[in-house]
């Protein structure tokens, strides 16, 4: 598998630095300049020890523990590194920089124009109607849905799109073969079997942690072509994606809760240039014409027994 040694090295650094992504990334990039990191980490553990002031034996023990966790992960996933044309370079500049994305499924979906649809975990009745409009728009324009792998509006969008096509990219806060919660496990299986893609910035050896959702949100912002926020209360996690620095050139927000208590973010984002959603006809304003990401070869014949 490509990039597995490099990925294990980065995860070893995360463990050595207590999940400090900034420090781990800084040392990782320095190692890339000095040594061949495609070789197993023990081959340059002495140099790493000199850089960070840690014993070679300690580094080796942590690396071996991480390698054992990798060996217990079932195959079929891909590791996309920061040298790939599919990798969003904004991830290297974020508060939690990471040089890898982990993907399970149809990587070709990353080459296609997508619409990021996000929203509340507990949507109201009006939001449910907008979900149907957004789903129809995506299907009619042959777009790819990009959304977090979470309950609420995201899960509703995935369920509707996946019935008719595999044009779904679900971004998880957990590693791609692990369900963030039990209620999403069946949906992950559906995404994979129907030709969709599950993607994550969280590596195989990381333990579950809520702040992985922050990394997920930054990554979605970086990957997004256009963003449609259907419904979210002020300060909710969907706004973190909407407001994130990324490639999205067009952003739209649902206005059905405009003026209600707890929804002041709608007005402020519109003043800052966000498009307004009033009915399904407004969604065409989100269409972008762009050059596709570089074509790649991927083996889609793998059907591992996952989840």
């Amino acid at each position: 598998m490509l990039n597995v040694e490099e990925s294990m090295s980065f995860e070893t650094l995360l463990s050595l630095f207590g999940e400090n992504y900034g420090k781990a990334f800084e040392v990782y990039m320095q190692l890339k300049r000095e040594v061949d990191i495609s070789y197993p980490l023990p081959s340059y553990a002495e140099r790493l020890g000199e850089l960070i002031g840690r014993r070679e034996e300690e580094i080796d023990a942590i690396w071996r523990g991480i390698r054992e966790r990798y060996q217990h992960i079932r195959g079929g996933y891909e590791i996309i590194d920061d040298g790939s044309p599919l990798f969003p370079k904004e991830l290297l500049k974020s508060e939690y920089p990471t040089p890898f994305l982990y993907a399970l499924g149809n990587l070709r979906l990353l080459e296609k124009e997508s619409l990021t649809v996000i929203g509340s975990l507990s949507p109201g009745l009006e939001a449910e109607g907008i979900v149907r409009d957004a789903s129809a728009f995506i299907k009619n324009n042959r777009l790819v849905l990009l959304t977090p792998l979470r309950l609420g509006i995201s899960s509703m969008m995935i369920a509707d799109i996946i019935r008719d096509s595999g044009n779904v990219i679900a971004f998880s806060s957990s590693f791609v073969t692990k369900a963030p919660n039990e209620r999403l496990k069946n949906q992950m299986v559906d995404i994979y079997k129907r030709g969709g893609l599950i993607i994550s910035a969280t590596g195989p050896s990381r333990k579950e942690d809520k702040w992985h959702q922050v990394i997920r949100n930054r990554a979605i912002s970086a990957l997004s072509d256009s963003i449609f926020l259907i419904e979210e209360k002020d300060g909710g996690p969907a706004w973190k994606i909407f407001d994130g620095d990324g490639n999205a050139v067009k952003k739209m927000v649902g206005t059905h809760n405009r003026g209600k208590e707890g929804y002041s973010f709608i007005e402020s984002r519109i003043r800052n240039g966000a498009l307004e959603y009033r009915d399904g006809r407004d969604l065409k304003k989100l269409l972008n014409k762009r050059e596709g990401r570089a074509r790649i070869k991927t083996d889609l014949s793998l059907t591992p027994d996952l989840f």
Side-chain angles (χ1 to χ4, degrees):
M1 179 186 297
L2 290 175
N3 302 315
V4 67
E5 293 294 346
E6 295 91 329
S7 172
M8 286 194 293
S9 293
F10 183 68
E11 296 219 5
T12 300
L13 289 168
L14 284 174
S15 295
L16 286 164
F17 290 116
E19 307 301 310
N20 185 327
Y21 272 71
K23 190 63 178 176
F25 179 73
E26 178 185 344
V27 173
Y28 177 79
M29 296 306 287
Q30 184 170 348
L31 285 171
K32 280 185 72 173
R33 292 190 293 267
E34 294 188 15
V35 301
D36 186 347
I37 58 171
S38 67
Y39 285 96
L41 188 149
S43 67
Y44 53 88
E46 181 179 358
R47 175 56 184 146
L48 175 57
E50 294 171 356
L51 284 175
I52 65 175
R54 305 286 279 270
R55 292 184 300 109
E56 188 176 343
E57 294 79 10
E58 178 189 8
I59 294 169
D60 185 74
I62 291 174
W63 176 82
R64 290 184 185 282
I66 286 171
R67 184 184 64 171
E68 184 176 351
R69 285 175 227 156
Y70 269 68
Q71 290 172 340
H72 283 89
I73 297 291
R74 290 169 175 167
Y77 68 93
E78 305 273 355
I79 304 174
I80 305 169
D81 77 341
D82 59 325
S84 168
L86 297 176
F87 189 91
K89 299 300 187 285
E90 289 82 2
L91 285 183
L92 304 178
K93 306 169 189 173
S94 75
E95 184 181 353
Y96 301 98
T98 175
F100 300 103
L101 288 176
Y102 303 87
L104 179 69
N106 184 5
L107 282 175
R108 294 191 181 103
L109 294 177
L110 290 169
E111 304 165 5
K112 299 181 179 181
E113 185 175 351
S114 65
L115 174 60
T116 299
V117 182
I118 50 179
S120 171
L121 286 170
S122 303
L125 290 176
E126 287 180 276
E128 292 179 14
I130 299 172
V131 164
R132 291 191 290 271
D133 287 345
S135 296
F137 176 77
I138 287 172
K139 287 182 276 192
N140 290 340
N141 288 279
R142 298 182 180 180
L143 302 175
V144 172
L145 168 68
L146 172 60
T147 196
L149 184 63
R150 66 197 296 259
L151 298 172
I153 283 175
S154 290
S155 182
M156 291 163 61
M157 287 293 305
I158 291 170
D160 197 80
I161 297 292
I162 210 71
R163 277 197 298 266
D164 297 318
S165 75
N167 289 338
V168 169
I169 300 174
F171 209 114
S172 180
S173 58
S174 303
F175 183 63
V176 292
T177 62
K178 301 175 184 177
N181 63 63
E182 286 298 312
R183 294 171 65 185
L184 289 169
K185 185 178 290 187
N186 289 339
Q187 194 159 66
M188 291 177 71
V189 174
D190 284 344
I191 292 168
Y192 182 78
K193 287 185 175 179
R194 292 178 180 267
L197 177 66
I198 302 166
I199 198 165
S200 178
T202 303
S205 74
R206 304 338 293 160
K207 295 180 180 178
E208 297 294 317
D209 202 302
K210 283 187 176 181
W211 57 265
H212 287 159
Q213 297 173 20
V214 176
I215 301 173
R216 176 202 65 196
N217 294 344
R218 301 283 173 82
I220 293 173
S221 294
L223 279 169
S224 294
D225 295 322
S226 297
I227 299 177
F228 178 31
L229 190 153
I230 293 178
E231 176 181 288
E232 181 69 288
K233 288 190 174 181
D234 292 352
W239 287 111
K240 305 298 183 184
I241 298 172
F242 191 87
D243 294 334
D245 295 327
N247 293 319
V249 295
K250 295 179 181 178
K251 299 181 181 182
M252 179 175 285
V253 60
T255 58
H256 56 284
N257 286 320
R258 195 175 194 171
K260 296 179 182 178
E261 184 178 357
Y263 291 93
S264 65
F265 279 25
I266 297 171
E267 190 66 44
S268 65
R269 297 323 185 264
I270 291 171
R271 286 199 303 269
N272 288 333
L275 299 168
E276 301 178 46
Y277 173 89
R278 296 185 181 90
D279 60 46
R281 292 170 295 183
D282 290 321
L283 291 170
K284 64 184 180 182
K285 300 173 185 176
L286 290 171
L287 288 174
N288 290 311
K289 296 298 181 183
R290 66 172 177 88
E291 294 182 2
R293 294 184 176 96
R295 304 297 295 179
I296 56 170
K297 289 185 177 180
T298 179
D299 183 358
L300 301 180
S301 64
L302 294 172
T303 54
D305 180 19
L306 301 166
F307 316 117

